[in-house]
Amino acid sequence: MQNLLKRGSAAIVGVAESDLGLVAPHTSPIDLMAQGVMRALDDCGLQLSDVDALFAATSQARFSTMMLKEYLGLNPTWNDNTQIGGSSFEAHVAHAWAAIQLGQCEVAVITYGSTQRSVSRAAASPREYNYYEAPFKPFMPPTAYAMAAARHMHQYGTTREQLAEVAVAARQWALMNPAAWEKEPLTVEQVLASRMVSHPLSVRDCCLVTDGGGAIVMTSGERAKTLKKKPVYPIGYGEGISHNSIANMADLTVTGAAVSGPRAYAMAGLGPKDIDVVELYDAFTITPILFLEDLGFCPKGEGGRFVSGGRIAPGGELPVDTNGGGLSYCHPGMYGLFILIEAVRQLRGECGARQVKGAETAIVHGNGGVLSSQITCILGGPSTV
């Protein structure tokens, strides 16, 4: 599919979050999806009656597109309920791009909603029994990511202080984002002193548990030029699905991003040095370190040293997770939609105090499962088409 997708044939034209943090009692995931859809349509000036394709995923509704169709009173000609965890929405972008280019639909919405803070994480995302792992009683998913972090520390000398630098940088970005959940400054020392969850990851090395949702709107390249916001184009895409259970991950320090990233770069005709903004799925502090390595921003094993000294914080050399990330902004369970929203806003120049000056390209990397499904999207402004 990669070589057949034409640059400029589809664009992201609208983005919006639904209510975030802790939502009103009795709010459902489909309520949050619908709220996000209406806000994203308003963002680009389209109407609900324009929508002819639905893309959605959530851990709380197996048939989310059918439920959303019913809720919104739509009769879509195309729907996609692909569920590969938190990277589902990056996959939806490529699927929508293809469907629009092929003329199967013209206006697609990609949406997500979750009430995991309201109903508890365990109730929102019940885990399937794994015969090889469950007898050891892991606390999932933190235990899986802690194993990757511990292996990285053993193999490359990465330190807990370096992991903590990721959380501190995310918090500094979050303090410039009015929508962020966390509002207080954070230091490396505070991360190290916080409650241990699964060694070496403390509670400040772990993502938030919030409610939330949102949506993005995609349409044809031609129609995008007629709408009220600057179009943002998908120009590169790659997948790397490496395993399901962490026991079957071939190397705990190498993720599927090592496959998806090069495929996305090749399709876009770009490399890491050409990327202005980096939006990574930061479920835990180890994940940006692994992804920065596997996406080519630093050599394998150098991620801990790379993030040190404020390099990925505001004012650093490489702006990473500029909304505050899953560590400090929000994390309703499947975070991948939110990094797409932030990347689009950065490329449209709408991010206020946290805006990366002159941003024209962004890499968005989604992660699903326990480092399992890795999807890389590269987005660009009009000058890249």
Side-chain angles (χ1 to χ4, degrees), residues 193-249:
S194 61
R195 173 172 55 86
M196 186 57 63
V197 173
S198 185
H199 196 274
L201 302 181
S202 74
V203 68
R204 296 300 175 202
D205 290 287
C206 302
C207 62
L208 304 172
V209 178
T210 69
D211 300 328
I216 68 174
V217 181
M218 293 183 66
T219 191
S220 65
E222 286 303 310
R223 191 165 183 177
K225 296 174 185 173
T226 69
L227 301 177
K228 66 181 186 182
K229 293 289 185 70
K230 183 171 76 173
V232 171
Y233 299 90
I235 58 175
Y237 175 76
E239 295 190 6
I241 311 296
S242 54
H243 59 279
N244 178 39
S245 59
I246 196 69
N248 286 293
M249 188 174 182

Side-chain angles (χ1 to χ4, degrees), residues 302-379:
E302 292 293 321
R305 287 174 280 279
F306 184 83
V307 301
S308 298
R311 181 177 273 162
I312 64 172
E317 298 169 37
L318 186 68
V320 175
D321 293 337
T322 53
N323 58 3
L327 293 166
S328 282
Y329 152 61
C330 80
H331 195 293
M334 294 168 60
Y335 176 67
L337 186 72
F338 300 95
I339 45 179
L340 287 163
I341 292 172
E342 176 68 6
V344 169
R345 287 176 173 161
Q346 284 286 348
L347 296 183
R348 297 197 312 203
E350 298 176 337
C351 289
R354 67 183 191 280
Q355 178 65 45
V356 176
K357 189 177 180 181
E360 276 295 301
T361 59
I363 192 165
V364 180
H365 184 75
N367 164 58
V370 285
L371 293 169
S372 309
S373 65
Q374 307 296 314
I375 309 290
T376 307
C377 290
I378 297 177
L379 306 180

Side-chain angles (χ1 to χ4, degrees), residues 13 34 36-42 44-55 65 68-69 72-79 104-111 215-219 223:
V13 292
V37 168
M38 298 308 294
R39 291 177 180 177
L41 288 170
D42 184 62
C44 61
L46 289 171
Q47 304 296 316
L48 191 58
S49 56
D50 294 310
V51 176
D52 59 1
L54 294 175
F55 295 73
T65 55
L68 191 63
K69 168 258 181 298
L72 294 174
L74 295 173
N75 291 301
T77 58
W78 196 266
N79 89 99
Q104 297 298 313
C105 61
E106 186 173 14
V107 176
V109 293
I110 300 170
T111 184
I216 68 174
V217 181
M218 293 183 66
T219 191
R223 191 165 183 177

Side-chain angles (χ1 to χ4, degrees), residues 114-305:
S114 165
T115 57
Q116 74 156 2
R117 187 172 184 88
S118 297
V119 303
S120 84
R121 185 174 59 84
S125 305
R127 301 198 68 81
E128 297 175 0
Y129 189 84
N130 184 301
Y131 289 93
Y132 300 100
E133 297 178 354
F136 297 96
K137 300 181 179 179
F139 177 49
M140 300 296 271
T143 295
Y145 289 86
M147 289 172 62
R151 183 64 192 175
H152 205 275
M153 293 170 73
H154 169 76
Q155 196 161 326
Y156 298 114
T158 304
T159 66
R160 283 199 63 213
E161 287 79 3
Q162 291 167 345
L163 293 170
E165 291 251 18
V166 175
V168 170
R171 183 63 59 87
Q172 292 177 5
W173 285 113
L175 294 178
M176 296 191 288
N177 183 357
W181 176 261
E182 293 287 356
K183 304 295 186 186
E184 298 294 328
L186 182 69
T187 66
V188 168
E189 291 72 23
Q190 288 173 315
V191 177
L192 297 180
S194 61
R195 173 172 55 86
M196 186 57 63
V197 173
S198 185
H199 196 274
L201 302 181
S202 74
V203 68
R204 296 300 175 202
D205 290 287
C206 302
C207 62
L208 304 172
V209 178
T210 69
D211 300 328
I216 68 174
V217 181
M218 293 183 66
T219 191
S220 65
E222 286 303 310
R223 191 165 183 177
K225 296 174 185 173
T226 69
L227 301 177
K228 66 181 186 182
K229 293 289 185 70
K230 183 171 76 173
V232 171
Y233 299 90
I235 58 175
Y237 175 76
E239 295 190 6
I241 311 296
S242 54
H243 59 279
N244 178 39
S245 59
I246 196 69
N248 286 293
M249 188 174 182
D251 184 333
L252 288 169
T253 67
V254 180
T255 73
V259 175
S260 65
R263 289 171 66 86
Y265 288 133
M267 188 174 181
L270 301 175
K273 64 179 174 46
D274 303 307
I275 301 297
D276 298 322
V277 180
V278 180
E279 305 294 348
L280 307 174
Y281 194 122
D282 60 338
F284 299 88
T285 50
I286 185 61
T287 53
I289 289 174
L290 294 173
F291 297 152
L292 286 168
E293 294 172 354
D294 292 338
L295 294 172
F297 290 96
C298 63
K300 177 53 67 182
E302 292 293 321
R305 287 174 280 279

